[in-house]
Amino acid sequence: MRVLQIQRMSTEDGPGLRTTVFFKGCPLRCQWCHNPESLSGQIQKEWIDVRCIRCGTCVSVCQRHALTMGEEGIRWDKETCNFCLACVKACPTDAMSAMGKDITPKELADELVKDKAYFGSEGGITFSGGEVMLQHREVLEVCKLLRKEGISLALDTSGDVNYEAFEVLLPYVDLILYDLKLIDSAAHQRWCGSENKIILENLIRLANEKIRLWIRTPIIPDSTDGEENIRGIATFLRDHLIRFERWELCAFNNLCKDKYQRLGLEWRYRDTPLETSSHMGKLTETAQSVLGKNESISWTGMTRIEEEQR
């Protein structure tokens, strides 16, 4: 299996305290992606300026001369680099760091079961991404081992996979966190890199399963944050009798901008301001106007305080 990282004590990836496993690789290319390091299925590397002591060790071990030391720190020629990771292994401060590692299902399960003590009655483990379902057969082996320990399991998915992956894992999980970003297929193609036909079809099929279902919609300025989009999603959920336990409208944040910088990538949302709580409230009301007012529809995340104090 190829895992990006394990995040402990999470409160945002399902009920209770959770350990979240992020996997490498994703079929979508959402322009606002908050985990750009998870998009590629390949092991990548990054240079973290604040950790670097400018010792030059990484430069000296690079046989392809892909690294040089400049006034602003390490410069990395990605065209020359063959990702042998010799620089990562040699770096004394982990300033040159690998993103992703290969691990067996047994090794991952053994690591995760250590956290069982703090899960309590509500918490558990969430498998996220990237897209966890791309590695569903390996994840199945992890699920079987963790189920023997009585640990609650959740899947956080974009839904853009063959339904077979769900069929394989559903007997072992308690909760699906399902992203529903844009209801219009052309808009989904524009902002996420593919149409949403499979995503919608999979959600309809999941709604007929005996599984807890949370819907999550990222509210992104100028792309998903229109009332028409939220009304369209709500109408889809109503018309297809999608039974969900929660629908979260997740407010945009820009905390990931440093990730793009470390990866040497441009991010179109770098200077985009946060949404306001009044707009998030309005979108919530829009959803409730279609589905009825209830506490299962809510918004979460940071908002733009300054504007609301004027």
Side-chain angles (χ1 to χ4, degrees):
M1 322 175 67
R2 184 154 289 173
V3 170
L4 176 62
Q5 67 171 336
I6 298 173
Q7 179 178 299
R8 291 179 161 89
M9 304 297 285
S10 172
T11 59
E12 299 179 355
D13 300 310
L17 284 176
R18 310 191 71 82
T19 293
T20 303
V21 184
F22 294 91
F23 290 85
K24 288 281 281 177
C26 184
L28 298 180
R29 289 297 180 268
C30 302
Q31 295 188 32
W32 56 80
C33 182
H34 282 50
N35 293 309
E37 72 277 27
S38 72
L39 294 177
S40 172
Q42 302 301 312
I43 293 178
Q44 298 167 285
K45 66 181 182 181
E46 62 179 346
W47 174 67
I48 304 174
D49 188 3
V50 295
R51 295 181 185 172
C52 185
I53 58 176
R54 273 58 173 179
C55 65
T57 300
C58 59
V59 177
S60 65
V61 300
C62 181
Q63 297 184 358
R64 297 179 67 91
H65 306 292
L67 300 174
T68 56
M69 180 74 76
E71 291 183 3
E72 298 182 354
I74 299 297
R75 295 176 180 175
W76 171 27
D77 184 350
K78 295 182 181 179
E79 298 298 323
T80 304
C81 177
N82 66 352
F83 291 89
C84 68
L85 301 182
C87 56
V88 172
K89 297 173 184 176
C91 180
T93 62
D94 291 329
M96 194 65 72
S97 177
M99 293 180 290
K101 67 175 182 178
D102 291 333
I103 187 172
T104 68
K106 176 68 163 57
E107 289 170 336
L108 180 57
D110 288 345
E111 180 64 26
L112 295 175
V113 78
K114 297 176 184 177
D115 302 336
K116 181 180 177 180
Y118 73 73
F119 291 150
S121 60
E122 286 288 318
I125 293 167
T126 299
F127 298 114
S128 187
E131 177 51 69
V132 55
M133 308 299 278
L134 295 181
Q135 301 185 59
H136 68 276
R137 297 200 178 280
E138 293 79 9
V139 173
L140 173 62
E141 299 307 311
V142 183
C143 288
K144 288 179 178 179
L145 293 169
L146 294 176
R147 268 307 201 188
K148 292 179 180 178
E149 299 291 335
I151 296 175
S152 177
L153 305 175
L155 300 175
D156 183 0
T157 177
S158 70
D160 192 25
V161 294
N162 190 300
Y163 195 76
E164 176 197 2
F166 288 107
E167 291 178 319
V168 167
L169 292 175
L170 280 176
Y172 299 92
V173 300
D174 308 291
L175 171 68
I176 302 285
L177 308 176
Y178 202 92
D179 284 1
L180 201 51
K181 304 174 177 72
L182 287 152
I183 196 63
D184 180 76
S185 191
H188 201 279
Q189 173 75 57
R190 176 189 176 190
W191 292 104
C192 303
S194 73
E195 296 180 349
N196 62 3
K197 184 175 184 291
I198 293 176
I199 295 170
L200 298 180
E201 289 177 349
N202 284 345
L203 181 56
I204 293 171
R205 294 184 67 175
L206 279 174
N208 293 319
E209 304 282 356
K210 293 181 179 180
I211 186 76
R212 295 172 66 188
L213 184 63
W214 288 15
I215 307 296
R216 302 209 290 188
T217 301
I219 303 302
I220 311 298
D222 301 324
S223 53
T224 72
D225 70 339
E227 289 185 61
E228 182 180 355
N229 181 50
I230 300 304
R231 185 176 293 106
I233 293 175
T235 301
F236 174 85
L237 295 174
R238 181 197 65 193
D239 292 351
H240 290 88
L241 304 177
I242 306 296
R243 299 185 303 274
F244 59 88
E245 187 175 306
R246 294 180 63 173
W247 179 13
E248 294 182 348
L249 307 182
C250 307
F252 164 80
N253 71 69
N254 57 10
L255 298 177
C256 63
K257 59 185 178 182
D258 288 342
K259 295 181 180 181
Y260 282 88
Q261 184 176 355
R262 293 198 298 266
L263 287 168
L265 301 173
E266 293 294 327
W267 190 43
R268 65 177 296 145
Y269 293 96
R270 180 178 180 83
D271 299 316
T272 300
L274 302 181
E275 299 279 9
T276 63
S277 62
S278 59
H279 184 60
M280 294 300 299
K282 191 172 184 179
L283 294 179
T284 303
E285 291 175 359
T286 298
Q288 291 175 337
S289 70
V290 178
L291 293 167
K293 289 192 175 183
N294 59 72
E295 295 180 357
S296 65
I297 305 174
S298 63
W299 68 267
T300 62
M302 299 184 299
T303 54
R304 198 167 63 215
I305 298 174
E306 294 81 359
E307 179 173 314
E308 296 168 35
Q309 292 178 337
R310 293 177 183 173

